[in-house]
Amino acid sequence: MNRLKLEQLLRHFFLEDMGDGDLTSDLLFPDHERAAGVFTAKAAGVLAGVDIISAGYRLLDPQIDVSVIKRDGERVSAGEPIASVAGPVRSLLSGERVILNLLQRLSGIATVTRQAVDRLGDSRTRICDTRKTTPGLRMLEKYAVTCGGGYNHRFGLYDGVMIKDNHIAFYGSIAAAVKTVRERLGHMVKIEVETETEAEVLEAVAAGADVIMFDNRTPEEVKTFVPLVPKPIVTEASGGITLANVTAYGATGVDYISLGFLTHSAAALDISFSLQ
């Protein structure tokens, strides 16, 4: 996780929540009053974003001490403490909500990612994310996927070429689109092509795509497409894949399964903060 970007995000989030100050805490507690508190898991899951506790409170008030008990990627049970904090009560309470919101959101993503990874068992197929992230939270949400044992797809439109159905329909063909991109693209960036039929798969192979996606295909269809693709070309299945059927897709031999629901539909993991 990029620490500079994290600090920039936290500044924005704290300003959004606090504005010119925390009216309740500022009016109730004097500057010098101190307290201790603990972040506790209220449900079982996988943690992600624990460092946000340290980074967030360090930004708000350097007087706050943070002791991390559980680490990102670790499983946690209901009732287990995640981290303890001590410092000025005003600062502890002012930063609580933003930190909890992020920690719960990211841990929810890590938890559902681990569920998907576990469904594949010892399959060589890898689980990865998509660009279906919350605006402003992509770096954090994609980091959470890795905490759950998944892998990251491209981060944005800028770091990988993906020629999709609309590109193909408007440009004319897979072959023509790949040829044009290849002529203009640097050697460090890969080209992925989205396919739906056997003919499109074969055209993408002949065109020299680096990655071929089988989009919205059944496990049976994916299983017939995989042998058509030479080993140096990476294969990916996407669309219509859920926790209920991900095991069947893992059995097809595809290299990657990309899952949008990891980031767009993950339920937050229930985590609380309480003063001691």
Side-chain angles (χ1 to χ4, degrees):
M1 188 189 304
N2 186 306
R3 298 291 178 143
L4 292 176
K5 288 184 178 179
L6 174 59
E7 182 174 313
Q8 184 180 47
L9 288 171
L10 286 170
R11 286 182 184 276
H12 173 73
F13 298 150
F14 283 137
L15 285 171
E16 176 187 58
D17 197 38
M18 295 169 60
D20 292 327
D22 176 355
L23 283 177
T24 309
S25 297
D26 291 349
L27 292 172
L28 288 176
F29 307 111
D31 287 337
H32 59 81
E33 187 159 358
R34 297 177 63 86
V38 62
F39 288 85
T40 305
K42 296 180 70 177
V46 176
L47 292 175
V50 174
D51 285 349
I52 291 172
I53 303 173
S54 302
Y57 278 133
R58 184 171 59 247
L59 189 62
L60 277 182
D61 191 336
Q63 298 180 71
I64 295 176
D65 295 319
V66 179
S67 297
V68 173
I69 300 168
K70 303 287 286 187
R71 295 288 180 181
D72 287 348
E74 288 190 55
R75 295 184 187 270
V76 65
S77 300
E80 279 195 274
I82 296 168
S84 62
V85 295
V89 66
R90 278 187 183 182
S91 300
L92 291 177
L93 294 178
S94 295
E96 165 197 4
R97 186 72 268 155
V98 166
I99 291 171
L100 271 178
N101 286 349
L102 292 171
L103 186 59
Q104 291 181 122
R105 171 72 180 154
L106 301 191
S107 296
I109 291 171
T111 298
V112 73
T113 301
R114 183 66 61 81
Q115 290 171 356
V117 171
D118 288 347
R119 295 287 176 94
L120 295 185
D122 60 0
S123 170
R124 69 175 185 82
T125 302
R126 291 177 168 182
I127 295 294
C128 67
D129 52 31
T130 70
R131 284 169 47 243
K132 296 175 182 177
T133 56
T134 309
L137 295 182
R138 181 167 295 173
M139 179 189 75
L140 299 178
E141 292 181 346
K142 280 182 168 283
Y143 169 74
V145 169
T146 67
C147 291
Y151 293 80
N152 294 144
H153 206 286
R154 59 178 179 164
F155 270 73
L157 298 173
Y158 55 86
D159 64 340
V161 172
M162 182 183 290
I163 301 173
K164 305 183 78 172
D165 54 354
N166 284 326
H167 298 112
I168 296 164
F170 200 74
Y171 201 74
S173 71
I174 290 173
V178 172
K179 181 176 183 295
T180 298
V181 169
R182 186 72 73 189
E183 289 173 349
R184 300 176 179 178
L185 189 67
H187 68 289
M188 297 296 289
V189 183
K190 292 187 177 182
I191 300 173
E192 179 167 6
V193 175
E194 184 181 278
T195 63
E196 296 183 352
T197 67
E198 181 176 318
E200 289 178 342
V201 172
L202 294 174
E203 185 180 1
V205 169
D210 300 301
V211 185
I212 296 177
M213 176 200 290
F214 312 129
D215 188 44
N216 285 299
R217 299 301 94 193
T218 66
E220 293 73 24
E221 289 174 310
V222 172
K223 194 169 185 177
T224 63
F225 288 171
V226 168
L228 302 176
V229 181
K231 289 296 183 184
I233 300 177
V234 175
T235 56
E236 175 187 341
S238 187
I241 306 175
T242 67
L243 286 177
N245 62 19
V246 70
T247 303
Y249 280 93
T252 65
V254 71
D255 295 315
Y256 286 88
I257 297 173
S258 54
L259 302 172
F261 70 80
L262 299 181
T263 51
H264 71 58
S265 298
L269 184 66
D270 195 2
I271 298 171
S272 67
F273 174 74
S274 58
L275 293 181
Q276 304 298 294

